Amino acid sequence: MADGGGWRPPRPCEAYRAEWKLCRSARHFLHHYYVHGERPACEQWRRDLASCREWEERRSADAQRSLCESERARVQATRKHALVWALRQSPPADWHLPLPQEEKDQ
């Protein structure tokens, strides 16, 4: 990993810039604050963008390591959240019957 021969960043630098720009937008701020009750943390996207640019310009091993660690952490964060709903393998046996409220209305 240290030599960086054919290594490429996990995403193009433009993707990190777009994520950072989106994270700083008013719409994203309001949405994130509404859903999570806190301000969005955009600093990691800025660091990833800086690391990506440093990799492209200087082929820095530190920048490469930083990007790899950041992407690993991002993947781990998505894996720690369990599904809210249990997925069904087939529909319920009585799925075609009218709902109880519909029976009362008739």
Side-chain angles (χ1 to χ4, degrees):
M1 184 167 111
D3 69 343
W7 187 83
R8 295 273 318 137
R11 306 169 190 228
C13 291
E14 181 58 31
Y16 292 113
R17 191 190 74 71
E19 290 284 357
W20 182 53
K21 185 176 177 182
L22 171 70
C23 188
R24 292 175 39 233
S25 71
R27 179 179 177 169
H28 178 75
F29 174 85
L30 291 172
H31 174 75
H32 193 277
Y33 192 80
Y34 177 78
V35 171
H36 302 284
E38 60 187 23
R39 299 177 64 161
C42 302
E43 188 60 25
Q44 187 60 47
W45 289 116
R46 190 191 65 72
R47 282 193 300 266
D48 289 347
L49 175 60
S51 294
C52 188
R53 287 182 174 159
E54 185 178 342
W55 166 256
E56 283 190 342
E57 293 169 5
R58 298 183 192 87
R59 298 292 193 240
S60 165
D62 289 337
Q64 180 183 7
R65 195 174 309 107
S66 173
L67 282 172
C68 288
E69 289 171 3
S70 175
E71 288 295 330
R72 261 189 226 105
R74 206 169 276 126
V75 168
Q76 289 298 330
T78 61
R79 289 184 183 165
K80 76 176 183 179
H81 299 292
L83 290 174
V84 174
W85 303 102
L87 300 178
R88 292 188 219 166
Q89 300 301 320
S90 61
D94 60 350
W95 70 270
H96 62 286
L97 299 175
L99 295 174
Q101 186 173 354
E102 290 178 1
E103 290 174 356
K104 291 177 190 174
D105 293 341
Q106 292 177 354

